[in-house]
Amino acid sequence: MNKFATLALARGAVNGGRSWSRGYTCGRAGVESWKGPEMGHGSLVLRGVALWRRGMSSVPAVEEKVEKREVEGKEEGGDGVVVSSYWGLSRPKLKREDGTEWPWNCFMPWDTYQADLSIDLSKHHVPKTFLDKVAYRTVKLLRIPTDVFFQRRYGCRAMMLETVAAVPGMVGGMILHLRSLRKFQHSGGWIKALLEEAENERMHLMTMVELVKPKWYERLLVLTVQGVFFNAFFVLYLLSPKLAHRVVGYLEEEAVHSYTEFLKDIESGAIENVPAPAIAIDYWRLPKDATLKDVVTVIRADEAHHRDVNHFASDIHYQGKELREAPAPVGYH
């Protein structure tokens, strides 16, 4: 009978979770029906059944693991909020190059880069076709109310500009993403390239917010402009991607011009050259003693790169091709 119980246990272990309960029942029945003189062996069998049953369930182990991690978190974090690690998600401990702890959750060290300041800032796409002229004049028309409202308050102007500039990349990437799903086609890397552009423009905004605190009416203006521009650009991209990218290309040309004027006011002393925000120093890998001038310089270089990407995308469409047919400038900064 002892052999019967042992065989039942072995059979349950081999069959796995699907038949473990049946094996356990057989083993238990065999043990309970065995009334031999060697009660020591029977106790060992019962203990083996209990241990085997416990091993088949992962719940106690998971609970003990979570409890252990939470205790460790309390010991290490002190007054910090303890987040349960039940789902196995935890941020790794990251360090700066100087060994200090990485303070940002909005971007990681591998997202940082050094801006390419050698890019040609004077490039301009001369409008030749009808759609080019429509795009160019539309952008010039949009600049008039901006000049009237902000005048030479380039900090506030840059903040407003970035809330608009971060929209096209997101819209374009979203539309290409949905098209890729519908047509079962690769995007040629353009989804990632456009979303990278949107994220880069958003980081410009996060930097500017550290320097310029928007007033309530400026926040209201941002809500209005973003709501109108997002929907208008979404419809435009569906109707004519080549026109949409050309508009963005000209918008980026205006951004380069605006940041150049921003730098002139900093150099002349009209705008104080304050220390660079910590987020800018880490994102663009600037020196610790970097100033506002350094920040504006790298942002202007970013805008010039976005100018090239969008004019390039428009040129691809003008040639009668799709974006996926040309290599996307992923990581082009």
Side-chain angles (χ1 to χ4, degrees):
M1 193 63 67
N2 189 5
K3 291 182 179 180
F4 174 75
T6 304
L7 288 174
L9 291 176
R11 180 182 177 185
V14 171
N15 290 340
R18 183 173 55 185
S19 58
W20 72 268
S21 59
R22 183 180 60 184
Y24 169 69
T25 304
C26 294
R28 184 177 180 183
V31 171
E32 290 179 349
S33 62
W34 175 57
K35 304 293 183 180
E38 300 177 356
M39 293 302 293
H41 293 291
S43 299
L44 290 175
V45 172
L46 285 173
R47 180 174 179 143
V49 171
L51 290 175
W52 169 67
R53 183 181 182 185
R54 181 181 177 184
M56 292 303 296
S57 175
S58 62
V59 174
V62 171
E63 289 177 350
E64 290 175 5
K65 190 175 181 181
V66 171
E67 184 179 355
K68 182 179 179 182
R69 288 188 180 179
E70 288 182 350
V71 170
E72 290 177 354
K74 289 179 181 178
E75 292 177 352
E76 296 176 1
D79 297 333
V81 178
V82 178
V83 180
S84 174
S85 59
Y86 174 77
W87 303 111
L89 301 177
S90 61
R91 170 183 160 174
K93 293 183 178 179
L94 303 173
K95 301 289 185 181
R96 290 191 178 104
E97 292 182 356
D98 60 3
T100 58
E101 186 177 355
W102 185 258
W104 311 106
N105 288 326
C106 54
F107 66 99
M108 295 293 114
W110 49 83
D111 297 321
T112 65
Y113 64 97
Q114 290 181 320
D116 177 17
L117 303 181
S118 65
I119 189 169
D120 186 358
L121 301 173
S122 62
K123 281 184 179 180
H124 168 63
H125 181 274
V126 179
K128 297 177 181 179
T129 66
F130 173 74
L131 288 181
D132 281 355
K133 293 176 181 178
V134 169
Y136 182 74
R137 291 174 182 173
T138 299
V139 172
K140 287 296 183 182
L141 185 63
L142 291 174
R143 179 169 179 166
I144 295 175
T146 305
D147 289 341
V148 172
F149 186 81
F150 293 106
Q151 298 181 2
R152 295 195 69 84
R153 294 185 298 133
Y154 285 107
C156 296
R157 186 192 191 102
M159 180 193 62
M160 174 60 69
L161 178 68
E162 299 303 344
T163 62
V164 173
V167 171
M170 179 60 66
V171 172
M174 177 183 67
I175 292 177
L176 291 182
H177 175 75
L178 295 176
R179 183 177 299 165
S180 174
L181 297 179
R182 290 196 309 271
K183 296 187 175 182
F184 308 100
Q185 294 175 339
H186 290 290
S187 69
W190 279 95
I191 295 174
K192 185 173 183 179
L194 294 179
L195 293 181
E196 277 184 353
E197 176 186 315
E199 174 63 11
N200 183 245
E201 297 284 11
R202 192 186 67 83
M203 289 303 298
H204 293 176
L205 176 62
M206 295 298 102
T207 301
M208 284 300 161
V209 168
E210 293 292 323
L211 297 166
V212 182
K213 303 301 180 183
K215 298 179 175 60
W216 68 268
Y217 58 86
E218 290 172 335
R219 291 178 179 271
L220 181 60
L221 182 61
V222 167
L223 289 174
T224 304
V225 172
Q226 187 183 81
V228 173
F229 184 74
F230 177 90
N231 289 284
F233 190 81
F234 179 80
V235 174
L236 178 62
Y237 202 98
L238 289 176
L239 296 176
S240 178
K242 59 185 175 184
L243 176 58
H245 281 293
R246 191 68 80 201
V247 167
V248 178
Y250 286 129
L251 282 173
E252 298 295 355
E253 289 185 17
E254 292 298 327
V256 171
H257 174 75
S258 295
Y259 282 113
T260 299
E261 293 297 314
F262 197 167
L263 283 172
K264 288 180 180 179
D265 279 6
I266 294 174
E267 292 169 354
S268 67
I271 296 177
E272 184 182 0
N273 191 21
V274 298
I279 189 172
I281 292 175
D282 285 337
Y283 184 68
W284 284 285
R285 301 178 190 172
L286 297 173
K288 291 184 178 180
D289 59 348
T291 62
L292 175 60
K293 180 180 178 180
D294 299 315
V295 174
V296 175
T297 300
V298 295
I299 291 179
R300 181 178 64 173
D302 286 348
E303 304 294 3
H305 284 85
H306 300 327
R307 170 203 65 195
D308 294 350
V309 170
N310 282 279
H311 281 314
F312 174 57
S314 184
D315 289 344
I316 294 172
H317 284 292
Y318 268 104
Q319 294 172 12
K321 299 179 180 179
E322 295 185 11
L323 291 182
R324 63 187 181 87
E325 299 179 58
V330 177
Y332 179 64
H333 294 298

